[in-house]
Amino acid sequence: MSTAGKSNEKCVTIENMNENIIRLEYAVRGPIVIRAGEIEKELEQGVKKPFTEVLKANIGDCHAMGQKPITFFRQVLALVSLPSLFDDPSFPEDAKDRARGVLKGCKGGSVGSYTDSVGIEIIRKHVAEFIERRDGIPSDYANIILSAGASDGIKNVLKIMNQPIDNKRPGVMVPIPQYPLYSATLAEFNMHQISYYLNESKGWGMDLSELQRAVDEAKEVSAPRAIVVINPGNPTGQVLSRKNIEEIIQFAYKERLFILADEVYQDNIYAPGSKFYSFKKVLTEMGPPYSEMELASFMSCSKGYMGECGLRGAYFEIINICPQVKAQLLKAISAMLCPTALGQTVVECIVNPPREGEPSYPLYKEEREQVLSELKKRAKMVADTFNSIPGFSCNEVQGAMYAFPQMQLPPKAVEAAKKEGKAPDTFYALQLLENTGICIVPGSGFGQQPGTHHFRTTILPQTDKLKAMLDTFKTFHKKFLKEYS
Amino acid sequence: MSTAGKSNEKCVTIENMNENIIRLEYAVRGPIVIRAGEIEKELEQGVKKPFTEVLKANIGDCHAMGQKPITFFRQVLALVSLPSLFDDPSFPEDAKDRARGVLKGCKGGSVGSYTDSVGIEIIRKHVAEFIERRDGIPSDYANIILSAGASDGIKNVLKIMNQPIDNKRPGVMVPIPQYPLYSATLAEFNMHQISYYLNESKGWGMDLSELQRAVDEAKEVSAPRAIVVINPGNPTGQVLSRKNIEEIIQFAYKERLFILADEVYQDNIYAPGSKFYSFKKVLTEMGPPYSEMELASFMSCSKGYMGECGLRGAYFEIINICPQVKAQLLKAISAMLCPTALGQTVVECIVNPPREGEPSYPLYKEEREQVLSELKKRAKMVADTFNSIPGFSCNEVQGAMYAFPQMQLPPKAVEAAKKEGKAPDTFYALQLLENTGICIVPGSGFGQQPGTHHFRTTILPQTDKLKAMLDTFKTFHKKFLKEYS
């Protein structure tokens, strides 16, 4: 075998590999983030830069940005991992109680056993009770499925409807801007992405006319099957009003669409007057026929006040699913054995947290409120700062963990980007990274109205760092404008 | 909306859902196991049965069967979960050392942060060192990818080559009997399963002529891309000889096949004279052109002596992959964010266990050896017992965690099964379950030569329970024969 023709002799080459994978993009971990990783390594090796550290504002990774875990959660995790700690009197009784409940639900009393593919039964029951308390509407634990992160659950639900109808590819309505898991999954599954634009001038709300336009155009080339709604919005930070949710449900009913409600930021509500309504609650309270619509709602341990991204815990609730389809969904999930038992343990902590009167309650409450009130402060700070920079405009960050400001880029910058074969927002983000160490994700990674330029930044850096970051950003932008004006 | 036509009005129905999912089967958690779960509930509710508990010999779920976790592993897990335990002097220094290493590799020093999509760098480095010690051959950590269980890694690798060639579906060679993750994944991906039969009369070895037959026949309808080898074998328990591995590699080279080596049972070797050789070691030592072949080798935390199934830790090594293809693989993985940080922590414990001279070493060694020597005893006990039952024959369980005995079923039983529309081995397994509480998986779930009847049982019940189970099995079989003779 000669070295020359070697790559041609591989079994799997870029020419004969899965085209869907080649088409798939995931900007949150895309080229800019990869470059940020390289820069971090260069800094470690002593390479001189105009900054001393990379600030990763690209990803909703709370603990990476210095957020502390909720003590109670970690106590329960330690107890289920090493049950000899039950003898340690320094662990509070309520943590032991939760850990005991989890272990009782594990075969052989060990988190090292496979759980049911849909998750540990007692945790599923507690999830159902949690949803009932939240919505004031019954929830059946048989409809609760635990998953290894919300992404896992979302992919499993989308997979089920991946079937051409009348020779047309199945289509899924996705907001633009969107969280790129959706575009990546649709690319991987070779499903048709039906993009509907959120209305930036109305605080990223949803216009019915735009939903209608999107689905009508899509019908020529695809069979619309489902609509994805992210509420609170990622990357856009809006919190949908109850009225807007009702309109979307009516639209989905009319168009016979399965609703995927990505509600992983349901605890992250900051703006005065904003309130989280679950799609399940609204749809149920609307009564028939809406209350009989198929819905999957997703929740995660990675966001909220806990931010346990690395532990891969999540659940989703499915309602009104055809029983035969549900059986197929459960079968498909079973081949992957089970989501991690320790991720499931975190779900248990979220849905069955310390109650008033229990020993861990005061600390739990304090830690939770501290995280949420800091995020609230930062949500305002980020939007206010960007709005104070000439050429930037940023909607109120009502919820979630991100701001998605729009920026006016000078024509010369757009030209310079073109010369380098880059989208203007990518060009800007790379310059920002190389000059300041600030890592953001260009708007093109989420989708945006053609001709507009945005980026997503998280609101997660600790308040002092965030202030410093915003100052640096401002200074950079002034220099950038000067250079390209 | 009338109740009558309701199911027709669903968006997703059994008629319009993903056909690949409908075709997918996963017997290890199939109908018999579902029935076993129902029986367990009936027992809980006080329903009288000829037995008091269900014995789940259907799945390689070590802790569920009473195996104890390795203390060191769980200490490290507790420490990374709740770092305040570093102040607890009862934790050994080497456990603290490993936990410190993991946390240093986590952003913000928390397992609650997302890790790199391919896993925490320091753990990947330790995996590479572990493989080097095992094989005596260099390993590059850039080729190591951590995953949420081996299943996750296997699916990611198979996905990459899911592309028709000259309008033919991609084909993957899979042993029969096989672990049903493979058939399930190929069904889900709509890839062509190329079944090659293991030779039961030669201890489940691989015959080259059979490999050739299988691939030649498959070429008419598919484009063969890869071959899966499970060594030690699941469900068949064989350990491949070095010579057999060399032959397979030569065959794969000739046919230009990517090799997937499922080596998750590499620590589970029991038979005198049996030895584990990794495909990487053999292929590398064979020199060019074989040493340049594409290979993915899978290892898991769920098996071996640790049996941490519920924690979803695993890794795989890829070698000689086309760099562009590798970049695409990494991109596809990144959209799922990361495998669980606590599962990764278990990988760290496996590849960087207590060393001689460290405080945890004696206990670790004792626990590890105890598990493996018990399994060795049971492997022999199970094969010997089945060989002592008239009409049963069972190959030596050289490795892994299962026996796959063949049984002669009386024609009347085959007829009775037919009447119920069941495969004869499924009929037998259901009768066994209903009468004794013993849950096994019928051979048809793994594939078998037409006209033969097998089942898979694990060797995992604790020795006393296993003895009792085998006695019950024997008694049941006698009665079964009497009933159907």
Side-chain angles (χ1 to χ4, degrees):
Chain A
M1 196 184 263
S2 77
T3 327
K6 216 162 126 184
S7 94
N8 290 333
E9 293 170 36
K10 296 283 178 202
C11 307
V12 183
T13 66
I14 198 79
E15 289 83 22
N16 71 20
M17 70 168 285
N18 189 334
E19 287 173 2
N20 296 333
I21 299 292
I22 297 178
R23 283 193 299 111
L24 173 165
E25 295 296 343
Y26 186 68
V28 176
R29 296 208 159 188
I32 291 187
V33 184
I34 292 171
R35 175 68 194 132
E38 290 167 4
I39 293 178
E40 273 184 329
K41 293 233 157 180
E42 290 169 20
L43 285 171
E44 270 173 37
Q45 289 154 9
V47 177
K48 285 273 168 271
K49 302 263 174 193
F51 48 89
T52 55
E53 64 166 341
V54 171
L55 198 68
K56 293 211 170 153
N58 60 295
I59 187 166
D61 193 356
C62 313
H63 293 197
M65 292 287 103
Q67 185 180 312
K68 292 280 162 279
I70 302 290
T71 305
F72 176 80
F73 286 28
R74 296 308 194 90
Q75 287 169 331
V76 175
L77 275 178
L79 284 161
V80 299
S81 298
L82 188 65
S84 60
L85 291 173
F86 278 95
D87 298 333
D88 184 335
S90 72
F91 280 82
E93 275 311 313
D94 46 359
K96 289 183 182 173
D97 172 71
R98 298 308 187 279
R100 221 174 272 123
V102 171
L103 290 178
K104 219 182 137 203
C106 292
K107 297 176 189 78
S110 168
V111 288
S113 306
Y114 289 121
T115 75
D116 288 348
S117 303
V118 288
I120 297 170
E121 188 172 287
I122 187 69
I123 301 180
R124 293 166 70 210
K125 287 181 175 166
H126 291 157
V127 169
E129 291 165 13
F130 169 81
I131 293 173
E132 278 187 25
R133 289 195 302 272
R134 184 193 68 190
D135 291 341
I137 283 166
S139 171
D140 181 351
Y141 85 92
N143 291 335
I144 306 295
I145 300 175
L146 274 63
S147 58
S151 305
D152 181 35
I154 290 165
K155 286 186 84 168
N156 279 324
V157 171
L158 285 174
K159 190 184 292 170
I160 286 297
M161 54 190 87
N162 189 11
Q163 181 71 21
I165 293 187
D166 301 334
N167 285 320
K168 281 180 178 170
R169 281 200 303 162
V172 176
M173 299 190 71
V174 167
I176 298 294
Q178 52 114 24
Y179 175 56
L181 169 72
Y182 293 102
S183 50
T185 301
L186 296 176
E188 182 190 327
F189 292 173
N190 195 24
M191 293 169 85
H192 183 64
Q193 175 176 324
I194 307 172
S195 302
Y196 64 90
Y197 287 96
L198 302 177
N199 191 333
E200 185 166 11
S201 66
K202 287 191 191 162
W204 298 114
M206 287 191 202
D207 281 345
L208 271 188
S209 58
E210 167 59 11
L211 291 175
Q212 196 64 55
R213 176 208 61 78
V215 80
D216 287 345
E217 282 181 20
K219 280 175 192 166
E220 291 170 26
V221 293
S222 73
R225 305 288 309 259
I227 182 169
V228 171
V229 184
I230 311 174
N231 178 45
N234 174 9
T236 38
Q238 83 281 26
V239 177
L240 294 180
S241 69
R242 183 173 178 124
K243 185 165 165 291
N244 212 174
I245 294 173
E246 284 173 4
E247 289 168 344
I248 296 163
I249 291 169
Q250 285 161 342
F251 169 81
Y253 177 75
K254 187 170 70 70
E255 298 291 340
R256 282 176 53 80
L257 299 174
F258 188 113
I259 300 174
L260 285 92
D262 180 338
E263 297 175 331
V264 301
Y265 296 99
Q266 58 190 263
D267 287 320
N268 300 99
I269 309 285
Y270 316 119
S274 285
K275 196 182 160 194
F276 171 72
Y277 294 95
S278 78
F279 266 75
K280 171 157 180 228
K281 180 183 173 71
V282 177
L283 166 160
T284 307
E285 290 177 353
M286 284 166 79
Y290 307 109
S291 54
E292 291 161 11
M293 290 173 70
E294 295 145 272
L295 168 73
S297 156
F298 302 89
M299 173 60 175
S300 164
C301 303
S302 303
K303 310 300 169 188
Y305 57 93
M306 48 282 175
E308 294 280 12
C309 308
L311 304 183
R312 312 314 292 131
Y315 72 80
F316 61 103
E317 181 182 29
I318 45 175
I319 59 168
N320 300 326
I321 309 296
C322 162
Q324 289 172 292
V325 172
K326 184 175 163 188
Q328 294 293 332
L329 172 64
L330 301 188
K331 183 188 71 176
I333 288 172
S334 78
M336 287 308 279
L337 297 163
C338 68
T340 152
L342 294 174
Q344 295 184 47
T345 302
V346 183
V347 173
E348 165 69 9
C349 293
I350 292 170
V351 298
N352 190 11
R355 287 176 288 253
E356 218 168 332
E358 288 187 326
S360 302
Y361 184 74
L363 180 61
Y364 160 76
K365 189 163 176 269
E366 183 194 323
E367 289 175 339
R368 180 190 159 115
E369 284 175 3
Q370 219 249 325
V371 170
L372 290 175
S373 70
E374 279 297 313
L375 286 174
K376 188 175 176 168
K377 240 191 284 180
R378 290 184 223 147
K380 191 165 169 2
M381 186 199 296
V382 169
D384 287 353
T385 307
F386 283 118
N387 281 323
S388 77
I389 305 179
F392 277 63
S393 65
C394 183
N395 274 322
E396 182 180 28
V397 179
Q398 298 174 327
M401 296 180 170
Y402 316 96
F404 196 70
Q406 183 171 166
M407 51 186 175
Q408 309 295 334
L409 292 181
K412 273 196 186 163
V414 176
E415 246 167 68
K418 221 177 179 176
K419 257 188 209 153
E420 290 190 18
K422 293 194 173 73
D425 54 2
T426 304
F427 177 81
Y428 184 89
L430 269 173
Q431 296 256 340
L432 179 71
L433 174 65
E434 299 286 352
N435 286 284
T436 66
I438 299 171
C439 180
I440 55 168
V441 186
S444 44
F446 306 91
Q448 54 198 348
Q449 288 277 10
T452 66
H453 308 302
H454 298 76
F455 59 88
R456 186 184 84 166
T457 176
T458 71
I459 58 167
L460 293 178
Q462 299 296 299
T463 308
D464 286 353
K465 276 213 169 172
L466 185 62
K467 238 183 219 153
M469 173 186 119
L470 292 169
D471 283 346
T472 308
F473 207 125
K474 233 173 171 166
T475 313
F476 165 81
H477 189 69
K478 270 187 205 154
K479 270 173 70 181
F480 183 90
L481 284 186
K482 216 169 162 186
E483 197 175 337
Y484 292 99
S485 68
Chain B
M1 195 182 267
S2 78
T3 326
K6 213 162 133 188
S7 95
N8 290 333
E9 294 171 35
K10 297 282 177 201
C11 306
V12 183
T13 67
I14 197 79
E15 288 82 21
N16 70 22
M17 69 168 285
N18 188 335
E19 288 173 0
N20 296 333
I21 299 291
I22 296 178
R23 284 192 300 110
L24 173 165
E25 295 295 342
Y26 186 68
V28 175
R29 297 208 158 187
I32 291 189
V33 184
I34 293 171
R35 176 67 195 132
E38 290 168 6
I39 292 178
E40 274 183 328
K41 293 234 156 177
E42 291 169 20
L43 285 172
E44 270 173 37
Q45 289 154 8
V47 177
K48 285 273 168 265
K49 302 263 175 194
F51 50 87
T52 54
E53 64 166 340
V54 172
L55 198 69
K56 293 212 172 153
N58 60 295
I59 187 166
D61 193 356
C62 313
H63 293 196
M65 293 286 103
Q67 184 180 312
K68 294 278 162 283
I70 303 289
T71 305
F72 176 81
F73 286 29
R74 296 308 193 89
Q75 287 170 330
V76 175
L77 275 177
L79 284 160
V80 299
S81 297
L82 188 65
S84 61
L85 290 172
F86 277 94
D87 298 332
D88 184 335
S90 71
F91 280 81
E93 275 311 312
D94 46 0
K96 289 183 183 172
D97 172 71
R98 298 309 185 281
R100 220 174 272 121
V102 170
L103 291 178
K104 218 182 137 199
C106 292
K107 297 176 188 80
S110 168
V111 288
S113 306
Y114 290 121
T115 74
D116 288 349
S117 303
V118 287
I120 297 170
E121 188 171 289
I122 187 68
I123 301 180
R124 294 166 70 209
K125 287 181 175 167
H126 291 157
V127 169
E129 291 166 12
F130 168 81
I131 293 173
E132 278 186 25
R133 287 197 303 273
R134 184 193 69 190
D135 291 340
I137 283 166
S139 170
D140 181 351
Y141 85 92
N143 291 333
I144 306 296
I145 300 174
L146 274 62
S147 59
S151 305
D152 181 36
I154 291 165
K155 288 185 82 167
N156 280 324
V157 171
L158 285 174
K159 190 183 291 168
I160 287 297
M161 53 190 87
N162 189 12
Q163 181 71 20
I165 293 189
D166 298 334
N167 285 319
K168 281 181 179 170
R169 279 199 304 162
V172 177
M173 299 190 72
V174 167
I176 297 295
Q178 54 112 21
Y179 175 57
L181 168 73
Y182 294 101
S183 49
T185 301
L186 295 177
E188 181 189 328
F189 291 173
N190 194 25
M191 293 169 86
H192 181 65
Q193 176 176 323
I194 307 173
S195 302
Y196 64 91
Y197 286 96
L198 303 178
N199 191 331
E200 186 167 11
S201 65
K202 287 191 190 163
W204 299 115
M206 287 192 202
D207 282 344
L208 272 189
S209 58
E210 168 59 12
L211 291 175
Q212 195 65 55
R213 177 207 63 76
V215 81
D216 286 346
E217 281 180 20
K219 281 175 190 165
E220 289 170 27
V221 294
S222 73
R225 306 289 308 258
I227 182 168
V228 171
V229 183
I230 312 175
N231 179 45
N234 175 7
T236 39
Q238 83 281 23
V239 177
L240 294 180
S241 69
R242 184 173 177 126
K243 186 166 164 289
N244 213 174
I245 294 174
E246 283 174 5
E247 289 169 346
I248 297 162
I249 291 169
Q250 284 162 345
F251 169 81
Y253 177 74
K254 186 170 71 70
E255 298 291 339
R256 282 177 51 86
L257 299 173
F258 188 112
I259 300 174
L260 284 91
D262 180 337
E263 297 174 330
V264 300
Y265 295 99
Q266 58 188 262
D267 287 321
N268 300 98
I269 310 285
Y270 315 119
S274 284
K275 197 183 158 191
F276 171 73
Y277 293 95
S278 77
F279 266 76
K280 172 161 179 222
K281 179 183 175 69
V282 176
L283 167 161
T284 308
E285 289 177 351
M286 284 167 78
Y290 307 109
S291 54
E292 290 162 12
M293 290 173 70
E294 294 145 274
L295 167 74
S297 157
F298 302 89
M299 173 61 175
S300 163
C301 304
S302 303
K303 311 300 168 184
Y305 58 93
M306 47 283 176
E308 293 281 13
C309 308
L311 303 184
R312 314 313 293 132
Y315 72 79
F316 61 104
E317 182 182 27
I318 44 174
I319 59 169
N320 299 325
I321 310 296
C322 161
Q324 287 172 293
V325 172
K326 184 176 161 186
Q328 294 292 332
L329 172 65
L330 300 188
K331 183 188 70 177
I333 288 172
S334 78
M336 288 306 280
L337 297 164
C338 68
T340 150
L342 294 174
Q344 295 184 46
T345 302
V346 183
V347 173
E348 165 70 8
C349 292
I350 292 170
V351 299
N352 190 10
R355 286 176 288 253
E356 220 170 327
E358 287 186 329
S360 300
Y361 184 73
L363 181 62
Y364 160 75
K365 191 164 174 267
E366 184 194 321
E367 291 175 338
R368 178 189 160 116
E369 284 176 2
Q370 220 249 324
V371 170
L372 290 175
S373 71
E374 279 296 313
L375 286 174
K376 187 174 175 169
K377 242 191 282 179
R378 289 183 225 148
K380 191 165 168 359
M381 187 198 296
V382 169
D384 287 352
T385 306
F386 282 119
N387 281 323
S388 77
I389 305 179
F392 276 65
S393 66
C394 183
N395 274 321
E396 182 180 27
V397 179
Q398 299 174 326
M401 295 179 169
Y402 317 96
F404 197 68
Q406 184 171 164
M407 52 185 172
Q408 309 295 334
L409 292 181
K412 274 195 183 163
V414 176
E415 247 166 67
K418 221 176 178 178
K419 259 188 208 151
E420 289 190 18
K422 293 194 173 74
D425 54 1
T426 304
F427 178 79
Y428 184 89
L430 270 172
Q431 294 257 340
L432 178 73
L433 174 65
E434 298 286 352
N435 286 285
T436 67
I438 299 170
C439 180
I440 54 170
V441 185
S444 44
F446 306 91
Q448 54 198 349
Q449 288 278 10
T452 65
H453 308 303
H454 298 76
F455 58 86
R456 186 185 84 165
T457 176
T458 72
I459 59 166
L460 293 178
Q462 298 298 296
T463 309
D464 287 352
K465 276 215 168 170
L466 184 63
K467 239 182 219 153
M469 174 186 119
L470 292 169
D471 283 346
T472 309
F473 207 124
K474 234 174 170 166
T475 311
F476 165 81
H477 189 66
K478 272 186 206 155
K479 271 173 68 182
F480 183 88
L481 284 186
K482 217 169 158 185
E483 198 175 337
Y484 292 99
S485 67

